[in-house]
Amino acid sequence: MSDRDSLQEAAEVRARIDITTPHSARFWNYFVGGKDHYEVDREIGDHIRTIFPGLVDVALTSRHFLGRAVRHLAVEQGVRQFLDVGTGLPTADNTHQVAQRAAPDARIVYVDNDPLVLSHARALLTSTPEGRTAYLDADLYRPDKILEAARDTLDLSWPVALMILNTLGHVADYKEARSLVSHLMSGLPSGSYLVISDSTSTSEGMIAASDAYNSSGAVPYYVRSVEEIAGFFDGLELTDPGIVQVTHWHPEPGTSTDGATPVDAYCGMGRKP
């Protein structure tokens, strides 16, 4: 691609960015201490913080779960390929950074369709010399497109870890959400993993926060029950400790979860037989 084409593409991406309504990736970025957000995102973030301060803990602990899950897959399970759908905005310890610290030859494909994320693609595309990192401008509703495009970077005859973190709530219909996840997993071989984390309807505060966000004009995000989160793993072999709060999934050594404040975010990891 020529410099002129690159500039034109960048201009087209910037034109797609809507700063008049909140966006979940920017909103989440604000809560985890990132810098890629606008006034409209900060306003709804501050409003929701007054309704339910615990959502900040959900954002931070969910981000920490990502690191532990990727490290577990790379170190304990020997996974060398990651498909991160709905990656959101880059912060510290992104999937490729965690994976390639443990396994320099790891390959990672990020998938998102938010123009601000796309504008940061070059930051995401860094890689070790031994590995490879790529970015797809696509969304969860096009699983065939994701799988086909991922083949340029990943060898889909070998196990892949499908990461879908804090993304599935954008799919309003639960059956459709399960169908999309199943479609993606059906394109991956035996020995592949599914990793999901998401906010859950496990407190009145979280439900109120979700309602406030959905009333802001942003694309709605629906929190689900723990049982619904578990349903995404039907047919897979759950990794211990099963479907648990994100803070309880393989906590860092020396970290005690006894007496810890509950968080309204659950996660799980399952292996395809």
Side-chain angles (χ1 to χ4, degrees), residues 19-157:
I19 64 172
T20 64
T21 56
H23 189 282
S24 61
R26 303 189 313 242
F27 168 80
W28 214 242
N29 185 261
Y30 177 50
F31 272 179
V32 300
K35 299 178 181 179
D36 300 304
H37 39 74
Y38 296 98
E39 183 63 28
V40 66
D41 307 301
R42 295 187 288 273
E43 286 178 355
I44 187 61
D46 291 340
H47 174 60
I48 289 178
R49 202 194 305 259
T50 65
I51 297 172
F52 181 52
L55 191 58
V56 177
D57 292 330
V58 167
L60 292 171
T61 56
S62 295
R63 187 70 190 181
H64 295 157
F65 163 72
L66 179 152
R68 300 196 307 277
V70 171
R71 189 164 58 249
H72 176 85
L73 287 163
V75 176
E76 303 297 331
Q77 306 303 331
V79 175
R80 294 296 180 265
Q81 302 191 111
F82 297 81
L83 180 58
D84 189 335
V85 178
T87 179
L89 287 156
T91 56
D93 286 338
N94 301 290
T95 298
H96 74 284
Q97 293 167 319
V98 177
Q100 291 181 343
R101 274 201 298 268
D105 60 336
R107 294 186 170 207
I108 298 89
V109 172
Y110 290 105
V111 181
D112 209 299
N113 69 332
D114 175 64
L116 189 59
V117 177
L118 181 58
S119 70
H120 286 77
R122 289 198 178 120
L124 286 172
L125 288 172
T126 58
S127 175
T128 58
E130 305 94 326
R132 193 172 171 192
T133 304
Y135 177 85
L136 302 181
D137 184 11
D139 65 44
L140 183 60
Y141 291 97
R142 300 287 301 278
D144 285 331
K145 177 182 177 181
I146 291 172
L147 290 168
E148 184 59 33
R151 293 179 186 276
D152 291 338
T153 304
L154 307 178
D155 181 350
L156 299 191
S157 65

Side-chain angles (χ1 to χ4, degrees), residues 140-248:
L140 183 60
Y141 291 97
R142 300 287 301 278
D144 285 331
K145 177 182 177 181
I146 291 172
L147 290 168
E148 184 59 33
R151 293 179 186 276
D152 291 338
T153 304
L154 307 178
D155 181 350
L156 299 191
S157 65
W158 289 86
V160 175
L162 173 61
M163 317 280 295
I164 312 180
L165 309 184
N166 303 97
T167 296
L168 289 167
H170 279 309
V171 184
D173 184 81
Y174 178 59
K175 289 183 179 179
E176 182 179 16
R178 286 191 57 170
S179 175
L180 291 169
V181 173
S182 295
H183 197 141
L184 286 168
M185 287 301 297
S186 70
L188 304 179
S190 174
S192 293
Y193 286 83
L194 172 65
V195 183
I196 288 174
S197 68
D198 222 331
S199 304
T200 49
S201 56
T202 41
S203 76
E204 292 182 0
M206 175 56 85
I207 294 171
S210 176
D211 290 343
Y213 181 79
N214 292 347
S215 298
S216 70
V219 176
Y221 200 95
Y222 302 95
V223 292
R224 296 194 162 101
S225 68
V226 178
E227 291 74 21
E228 287 173 319
I229 300 298
F232 289 114
F233 294 91
D234 282 355
L236 303 180
E237 301 167 348
L238 274 175
T239 298
D240 288 339
I243 308 302
V244 295
Q245 290 178 37
V246 292
T247 50
H248 287 66

